[in-house]
Amino acid sequence: QVSLTELGGGSVRAGGSLRLSCSYSGDIYSTYYITWFRQSPGKEREGVASLSTTGDVALYADSVSGRFTVSRDSSKNSIYLQMIDLKPEDSAMYLCAASDDSRSRRDSFNTFYYDFWGRGTQVTVSS
């Protein structure tokens, strides 16, 4: 089993920045992708940024491309999401998830392929 814990959420003004972290434990190398999702009331859960477990492939949703960057620090067993130029529409609960389903290699933002989830960290962006 893989355990994931998110930290770093908070409240910021539009245009501000936040850095989220997702620490992991367990057999992370049995998975294919670690992905940041976000969810707000009335909306479907949305994939934001994915990083292959090997660390050589990164994918981003169009809505955050150019503003968000996903990275890893293997020495700290952590995945990060650096967010800049935040907008009110970025407000959501941000969740870190890992997939051990090989189909995630072709569709990394499909929530159906993810079995391991953190509890989330809230991001609120004010106008």
Side-chain angles (χ1 to χ4, degrees), residues 67-80:
R67 298 186 298 117
F68 290 11
T69 303
V70 64
S71 62
R72 65 157 44 187
D73 186 342
S74 58
S75 69
K76 297 182 178 179
N77 296 327
S78 295
I79 303 293
Y80 302 98

Side-chain angles (χ1 to χ4, degrees), residues 13-52:
R13 297 192 303 272
S17 301
L18 283 173
R19 186 181 187 233
L20 308 182
S21 65
C22 172
S23 62
Y24 54 82
S25 63
D27 189 12
I28 194 67
Y29 294 105
S30 68
T31 69
Y32 295 95
Y33 271 92
I34 299 177
T35 296
W36 288 96
F37 294 88
R38 66 186 182 188
Q39 188 166 27
S40 57
K43 294 184 178 181
E44 295 290 325
R45 186 168 294 178
E46 175 190 24
V48 174
S50 291
L51 186 67
S52 62

Side-chain angles (χ1 to χ4, degrees), residues 21-120:
S21 65
C22 172
S23 62
Y24 54 82
S25 63
D27 189 12
I28 194 67
Y29 294 105
S30 68
T31 69
Y32 295 95
Y33 271 92
I34 299 177
T35 296
W36 288 96
F37 294 88
R38 66 186 182 188
Q39 188 166 27
S40 57
K43 294 184 178 181
E44 295 290 325
R45 186 168 294 178
E46 175 190 24
V48 174
S50 291
L51 186 67
S52 62
T53 304
T54 56
D56 57 353
V57 178
L59 301 168
Y60 299 93
D62 289 342
S63 58
V64 306
S65 180
R67 298 186 298 117
F68 290 11
T69 303
V70 64
S71 62
R72 65 157 44 187
D73 186 342
S74 58
S75 69
K76 297 182 178 179
N77 296 327
S78 295
I79 303 293
Y80 302 98
L81 185 66
Q82 179 67 55
M83 306 183 293
I84 64 172
D85 192 24
L86 284 162
K87 304 175 180 180
E89 53 263 42
D90 295 319
S91 297
M93 179 71 71
Y94 282 74
L95 301 148
C96 183
S99 173
D100 63 0
D101 191 319
S102 64
R103 292 173 292 183
S104 66
R105 295 179 295 179
R106 302 183 67 177
D107 188 6
S108 68
F109 290 168
N110 191 330
T111 60
F112 181 78
Y113 301 143
Y114 289 80
D115 291 324
F116 310 109
W117 294 83
R119 288 179 288 183

